[in-house]
């Protein structure tokens, strides 16, 4: 045994894998909110129809409520309201995209789900601030595909809980 | 608990400590002296000694005491570890044999005087080792145990599954009622019903079994306090005995965990402020040494925990004065003793200054009240000046599944935890009066505020001519929740709401009903804080 300090096994393989990951194209689920938006398919668990939403009083306006997802109480966020876009209510094509980000599973209410597209890593560009209606803080970028423009959402930032002042009474 | 059960617990526990001792010895032999290892194993031996004494195995207790002595000598550098190793291994051996003997015949009282003598001689250099008979290899296996350690998460997962099962069972029952009218063949529907009923019983049994597995004796919390009481009392020059009653009462582990802090506050208050110094006590003709009693007992679906002290008690008159100064009550308000005592749980009574005004009581009691409310429980106080104070905590047996009253308001279904419900009544809208811009109802000779649940949650709804009032009670306080319909009682599984909903004031969680619908569970604690004007709160959230 030499005294050289080696990191955990599989170093070369890990680097290679990361490198390949970078080159690889990613799959995006796109949906409509007036414009076309997208989230990585890796963050999407399933897509369900809208039914039986129970509203939760005294909660942020963009929280649509909760639904029963096979015995689980799933919070549903109205993506239009969250992005401060004009709210246009529910329609037949409305869907809930069930996403999983970190340990959080949350449903996103969208107008309609469009496609699954493959996006080569190279086409994603930084969001052009001046053109977009929404706050660019929540975007990872935009990708231009032929005539289409897909706005990629950063779910982690979007779902980060707004800071509620917690006025815990000092303990005696 | 039966003596035989106690013995079993003792042996299980002792085997664990002996294994730890053995492990430590092996480690010391291989790796040489290590202070942490020695101190660690001293802890195991100390517990073993205490338990042996408690079970009446005096000789074993004395023997373990000697073994502790050897290790302490090693720690103090009075004895070299190398010299002690042989003696320690032999001692472990003797303890093992003794435990085995007890396992075979619990009534036997193994005599270890000889071993104790030999250890002493060895330490004085008189003998070279203990007189050990060659071991039966089977002895190394120890006694067989009936207890297993399970990760609490696994039990939690199981309970969640059973919760789902309960939901689906309810669903099946609804379907059965539905098709009973439609199916001609009555024999089949009857069979279906019988099958469902049998399954329901099994599920109830399963649920109860898992709930039981999650339970711990309340002694696990109680036993955390003697040391604290001793130290606090000593620091203040007081003499206090902490007594226990009903320590075997079992509670769900989640409740046990949450109970520590409230009990800590209550006990600390009793020690700091309730109990008089010994001289003052003697002057009053009270026993020199004070007693704080922790007791636990079960009443139907609730556990009642009491903390009682024989100290100076609380002066209701001064509580009234302090409350009036603080603006919690009007100067001329006539308050019953119970109502006055319930004031000590309000947030206004927490600051040091007021606390000393009210015989020093009240520190952290609002925290206590809130913690207990969060557990769907209630806390109340009673006191006789000069005699002492009694705190009573009432808790549901389990947190995960609770009985609830299902109500309708503003077109939505809301579940109200039954533990908070005093009663429900049907009234005409005219029976509700307005005093000081607040709706109230006169009922059973008292006037209580009425909160319309639909308005509270900002839901629109028609004003029905008749409505139902669900009277919530906490101590002496009462509030009436107005709802449009009552849908009966039901066991519900509490699921917490995601934190993306913020504080969602008034909502404690959600539950899924048999028909798949999600209903919200009312947080009854939101109605108790006297300072909160509910209407304001709703407006603030909009």
């Amino acid at each position: 045994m030499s005294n050289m300090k080696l990191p955990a096994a599989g170093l070369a393989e890990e680097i290679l894998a990361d490198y390949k990951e970078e080159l690889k194209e990613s799959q995006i689920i796109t949906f409509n909110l007036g414009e076309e938006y997208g989230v990585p398919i890796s963050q999407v668990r399933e897509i369900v129809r809208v039914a039986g939403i129970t509203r939760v009083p005294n909660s942020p306006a963009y929280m649509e409520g909760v639904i029963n997802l096979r015995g689980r109480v799933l919070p549903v966020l109205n993506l239009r309201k969250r992005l401060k876009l004009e709210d246009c209510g529910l329609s037949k094509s409305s869907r809930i995209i069930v996403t999983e980000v970190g340990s959080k599973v949350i449903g996103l209410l969208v107008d309609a789900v469009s496609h699954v597209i493959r996006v080569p890593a190279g086409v994603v560009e930084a969001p052009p601030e001046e053109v977009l209606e929404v706050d660019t803080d929540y975007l990872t970028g935009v990708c231009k595909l032929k005539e289409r423009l897909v706005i990629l959402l950063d779910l982690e930032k979007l779902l980060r809980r707004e800071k509620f002042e917690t006025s815990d009474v000092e303990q005696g | 608990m039966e003596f035989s059960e106690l013995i079993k617990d003792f042996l299980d526990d002792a085997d664990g400590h002996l294994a730890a001792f053995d492990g430590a010895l092996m480690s010391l032999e291989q790796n040489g002296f290590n202070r942490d290892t020695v101190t660690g194993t001293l802890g195991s031996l100390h517990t073993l000694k205490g338990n042996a004494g408690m079970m009446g195995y005096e000789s074993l207790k004395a023997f373990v005491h000697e073994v502790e002595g050897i290790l302490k000598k090693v720690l103090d550098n009075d004895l070299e570890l190398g010299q002690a190793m042989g003696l320690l291994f032999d001692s472990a051996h003797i303890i093992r044999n003794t435990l085995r003997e007890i396992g075979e015949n619990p009534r036997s009282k193994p005599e270890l005087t000889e071993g104790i003598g030999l250890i002493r001689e060895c330490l004085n250099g008189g003998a070279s080792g203990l007189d050990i008979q060659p071991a039966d290899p089977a002895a190394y296996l120890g006694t067989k145990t009936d207890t297993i350690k399970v990760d609490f998460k696994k039990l939690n997962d199981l309970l969640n599954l059973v919760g789902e099962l309960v939901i689906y069972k309810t669903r099946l029952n609804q379907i059965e009622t539905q098709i009973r009218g439609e199916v001609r063949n009555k024999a089949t529907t009857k069979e279906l019903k019988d099958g469902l009923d049998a399954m329901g019983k099994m599920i109830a049994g399963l649920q109860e079994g898992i709930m039981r597995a999650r339970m711990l004796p309340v002694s696990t919390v109680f036993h955390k306090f003697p040391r604290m009481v001793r130290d606090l009392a000593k620091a203040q020059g007081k003499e206090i005995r902490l007594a226990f009653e009903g320590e075997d009462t079992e509670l769900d582990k989640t409740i046990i965990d949450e109970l520590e802090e409230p009990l800590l506050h209550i006990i600390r208050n009793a020690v700091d402020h309730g109990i008089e110094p010994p001289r003052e006590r003697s002057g009053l003709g009270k026993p020199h040494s004070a007693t704080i009693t922790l007791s636990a007992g079960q009443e139907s679906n609730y556990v009642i925990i009491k903390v009682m002290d024989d100290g100076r008690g609380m002066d209701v008159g001064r509580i009234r004065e302090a409350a009036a100064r603080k603006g919690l009550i009007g100067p001329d308000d006539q308050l019953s003793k119970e109502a006055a005592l319930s004031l000590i749980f309000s947030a206004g009574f927490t600051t040091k200054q007021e606390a000393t005004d009210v015989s020093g009581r009240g520190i952290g009691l609002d925290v206590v009240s809130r913690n207990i409310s969060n557990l769907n429980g209630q806390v109340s106080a009673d006191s006789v000046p000069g005699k002492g104070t009694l705190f009573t905590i009432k808790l549901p047996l389990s947190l995960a599944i609770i009985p609830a009253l299902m109500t309708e308001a503003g077109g939505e279904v809301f579940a109200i935890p039954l533990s908070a419900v005093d009663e429900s009544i049907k009234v005409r809208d005219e029976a509700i009066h307005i005093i000081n811009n607040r709706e109230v109802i006169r009922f059973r000779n008292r006037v209580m505020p009425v909160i319309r649940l639909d308005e509270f949650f900002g839901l629109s709804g028609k004003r029905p001519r008749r409505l139902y009032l669900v009277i919530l009670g906490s101590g002496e306080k009462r509030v009436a929740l107005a709802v449009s319909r009552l849908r009966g009682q039901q066991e519900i599984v509490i699921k917490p709401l995601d934190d993306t909903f913020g504080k969602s004031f008034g909502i404690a969680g959600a539950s899924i009903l048999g028909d798949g619908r999600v209903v919200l569970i009312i947080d009854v604690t939101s109605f108790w804080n006297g300072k909160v004007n509910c209407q304001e709160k709703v407006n603030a959230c909009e």
Side-chain angles (χ1 to χ4, degrees):
Chain A
M1 284 286 285
S2 77
N3 285 330
M4 215 175 81
K5 281 220 166 175
L6 275 172
L11 174 73
E13 282 83 348
E14 272 169 27
I15 289 179
L16 207 60
D18 284 351
Y19 183 63
K20 275 184 183 163
E21 194 66 41
E22 271 180 35
L23 286 184
K24 227 168 44 183
E25 54 182 19
S26 48
Q27 288 193 25
I28 305 283
I29 286 191
T30 68
F31 49 89
N32 200 293
L33 295 172
E35 308 251 12
E36 198 164 20
Y37 287 78
V39 290
I41 203 166
S42 57
Q43 291 181 327
V44 176
R45 273 190 167 190
E46 62 185 302
I47 294 161
V48 293
R49 282 172 191 277
V50 182
I53 296 186
T54 301
R55 294 198 155 273
V56 178
N58 301 343
S59 58
Y62 56 78
M63 290 310 293
E64 194 68 21
V66 284
I67 58 164
N68 168 12
L69 184 73
R70 291 186 302 277
R72 174 182 195 134
V73 176
L74 181 84
V76 177
L77 181 147
N78 185 323
L79 208 47
R80 269 186 178 271
K81 286 186 187 164
R82 182 73 183 89
L83 295 171
K84 300 199 171 73
L85 300 169
E86 191 197 343
D87 184 27
C88 49
L90 294 176
S91 74
K92 263 190 181 170
S93 61
S94 294
R95 293 287 183 278
I96 293 168
I97 303 179
V98 183
T99 62
E100 184 170 15
V101 182
S103 59
K104 220 179 183 61
V105 179
I106 190 165
L108 305 177
L109 180 67
V110 299
D111 296 356
V113 172
S114 342
H115 311 277
V116 176
I117 54 170
R118 286 170 190 279
V119 179
V123 262
V124 180
E125 292 171 14
E129 234 160 282
E130 59 282 8
V131 210
L132 292 174
E133 240 185 296
V134 297
D135 194 343
T136 49
D137 279 357
Y138 299 134
L139 310 183
T140 39
V142 292
C143 63
K144 289 175 187 150
L145 298 163
K146 291 173 194 160
E147 277 94 74
R148 284 156 66 190
L149 183 78
V150 179
I151 305 165
L152 301 181
L153 284 180
D154 187 336
L155 288 184
E156 258 167 67
K157 278 192 189 156
L158 193 77
L159 300 183
R160 199 166 294 156
R161 187 162 66 109
E162 315 235 310
K163 291 268 176 287
F164 293 97
E165 68 286 6
T166 40
S167 59
D168 279 326
V169 181
E170 329 78 70
Q171 318 237 315
Chain B
M1 215 189 270
E2 286 287 308
F3 180 67
S4 59
E5 267 182 67
L6 279 173
I7 289 282
K8 222 168 65 184
D9 279 358
F10 163 70
L11 286 175
D12 275 353
D13 197 53
D15 271 341
H17 292 307
L18 181 61
F21 182 42
D22 264 336
L25 289 182
M26 300 295 283
S27 153
L28 290 172
E29 189 178 48
Q30 273 181 356
N31 309 324
F33 178 75
N34 177 316
R35 185 160 286 271
D36 289 344
T37 313
V38 176
T39 358
T41 200
L42 265 174
S44 305
L45 287 178
H46 195 74
T47 320
L48 177 58
K49 178 173 84 173
N51 292 350
M54 217 162 63
M55 298 301 297
Y57 299 114
E58 287 301 330
S59 195
L60 177 60
K61 175 183 157 189
F63 183 80
V64 178
H65 182 74
E66 291 301 321
V67 181
E68 277 185 298
I70 306 174
L71 284 169
K72 278 181 185 147
K73 268 183 186 281
V74 172
L75 271 187
D76 295 343
N77 294 323
D78 284 349
L79 180 66
E80 217 163 303
L81 181 69
Q83 290 176 319
M85 282 316 282
L87 195 55
L88 289 170
F89 271 118
D90 288 353
S91 315
H93 204 89
I94 288 183
I95 298 173
R96 192 185 346 268
N97 285 343
T98 310
L99 290 177
R100 202 153 165 248
E101 210 175 305
I102 294 172
E104 279 161 9
N105 178 12
R107 306 271 168 201
S108 70
K109 302 276 177 203
E111 217 14 87
L112 295 165
T113 330
E114 200 184 338
I116 295 168
L118 276 169
I119 289 185
R120 285 187 186 155
E121 259 181 64
C122 287
L123 291 181
N124 295 330
S128 55
L130 299 180
D131 184 16
I132 298 288
Q133 281 118 32
D136 171 4
Y140 288 105
L141 299 177
T143 46
K144 291 226 167 31
T145 170
D146 287 337
T147 318
I148 57 164
K149 276 192 179 173
V150 182
D151 185 349
F152 184 64
K153 192 181 165 297
K154 289 184 186 164
L155 288 178
N156 229 0
D157 291 347
L158 274 181
L159 188 65
N160 282 339
L161 283 175
V162 173
E164 311 284 316
L165 207 52
V166 172
I167 293 169
Y168 287 120
K169 185 206 78 180
T170 320
R171 175 87 185 113
L172 286 180
N173 281 339
Q174 283 171 349
I175 295 174
E176 188 271 331
T177 328
Q178 221 172 317
I179 63 171
R180 202 187 306 156
E182 294 166 16
V183 176
R184 289 248 175 83
N185 189 339
K186 293 299 165 204
T188 319
T189 50
K190 177 155 191 329
E191 255 179 66
L192 177 62
K193 173 128 185 32
D194 290 350
L196 282 176
D197 286 349
M199 191 181 77
K201 273 183 200 144
M202 300 286 171
I203 292 175
L206 189 58
Q207 185 180 329
E208 204 193 316
I210 292 171
M211 304 268 248
R212 270 187 194 291
R214 289 163 50 102
M215 289 194 165
L216 286 175
V218 78
S219 57
T220 43
V221 225
F222 281 9
H223 285 174
K224 292 187 176 182
F225 293 113
R227 184 59 203 268
M228 181 191 89
V229 169
R230 178 196 163 273
D231 289 0
L232 281 179
K234 209 165 179 191
Q236 301 176 18
K238 295 177 181 173
E239 273 179 44
I240 304 173
R241 195 174 67 91
L242 189 61
F244 300 126
E245 279 167 21
E247 299 162 80
D248 292 340
T249 309
E250 294 194 323
L251 263 174
D252 193 273
K253 181 183 146 53
T254 42
I255 297 186
I256 291 264
D257 290 346
E258 295 296 319
L259 202 56
E260 282 174 17
E261 205 193 324
L263 281 181
L264 178 88
H265 280 294
I266 295 176
I267 295 173
R268 211 171 59 187
N269 269 329
V271 175
D272 287 352
H273 311 297
I275 303 291
E276 314 91 333
R279 193 177 295 168
E280 192 182 328
R281 290 181 66 89
S282 308
L284 292 164
K286 284 181 168 184
H288 198 64
S289 151
T291 307
I292 297 176
T293 310
L294 285 180
S295 77
Q298 195 177 331
E299 276 175 27
S300 70
N301 266 331
Y302 297 94
V303 165
I304 310 289
I305 292 172
K306 291 179 178 166
V307 183
M308 194 168 58
D309 69 59
D310 62 354
R312 53 170 75 96
M314 288 187 276
D315 185 339
V316 174
R318 290 171 75 177
I319 294 176
R320 281 196 195 108
E321 282 169 30
R325 259 206 312 283
K326 190 81 192 163
L328 290 170
I329 54 169
D332 303 320
D333 278 358
Q334 292 299 314
L335 277 184
S336 66
K337 180 184 164 194
E338 288 75 21
L341 282 172
S342 70
L343 283 173
I344 61 171
F345 295 107
S346 53
F349 270 75
T350 53
T351 66
K352 194 95 192 171
Q353 202 192 333
E354 270 97 21
T356 36
D357 269 341
V358 192
S359 332
R361 289 280 177 162
I363 303 169
L365 283 182
D366 65 317
V367 180
V368 169
S369 160
R370 203 176 29 186
N371 285 357
I372 300 295
S373 296
N374 286 343
L375 298 172
N376 280 315
Q378 291 181 13
V379 58
S380 61
D382 193 8
S383 185
V384 179
K387 294 272 186 210
T389 304
L390 168 71
F391 281 91
T392 308
I393 299 172
K394 181 181 172 193
L395 291 168
L397 280 178
S398 165
L399 278 187
I401 300 178
I402 57 159
L405 178 65
M406 310 305 283
T407 63
E408 265 178 45
E412 300 276 347
V413 179
F414 292 99
I416 304 175
L418 212 54
S419 59
V421 176
D422 260 14
E423 57 190 314
S424 41
I425 49 171
K426 191 177 182 182
V427 295
R428 289 171 162 276
D429 201 35
E430 302 92 83
I432 296 174
H433 301 284
I434 292 176
I435 299 179
N436 287 340
N437 284 326
R438 292 188 74 175
E439 288 189 306
V440 295
I441 182 116
R442 179 180 291 276
F443 179 63
R444 290 203 199 284
N445 285 330
R446 54 190 295 171
V447 175
M448 56 186 99
V450 174
I451 294 171
R452 290 179 194 263
L453 213 50
D454 48 357
E455 282 176 14
F456 182 82
F457 286 131
L459 303 166
S460 54
K462 280 178 291 181
R463 279 266 171 113
R465 295 253 300 284
R466 285 165 184 277
L467 36 81
Y468 292 87
L469 295 180
V470 179
I471 316 269
L472 305 182
S474 167
E476 270 299 292
K477 286 186 264 185
R478 295 286 178 279
V479 62
L481 289 188
V483 296
S484 54
R485 250 187 89 189
L486 297 182
R487 292 167 50 122
Q489 293 178 15
Q490 195 174 328
E491 292 230 309
I492 57 168
V493 183
I494 302 181
K495 309 215 170 200
L497 277 186
D498 192 88
D499 58 5
T500 35
F501 288 102
K503 278 185 173 172
S504 55
F505 188 76
I507 304 291
S511 186
I512 297 175
L513 296 192
D515 59 4
R517 182 167 175 177
V518 183
V519 297
L520 298 172
I521 304 164
I522 300 288
D523 177 12
V524 291
T525 62
S526 34
F527 306 112
W528 294 138
N529 195 337
K531 285 181 184 168
V532 176
N533 181 324
C534 304
Q535 199 51 46
E536 276 170 25
K537 202 77 186 178
V538 171
N539 294 340
C541 290
E542 277 167 1

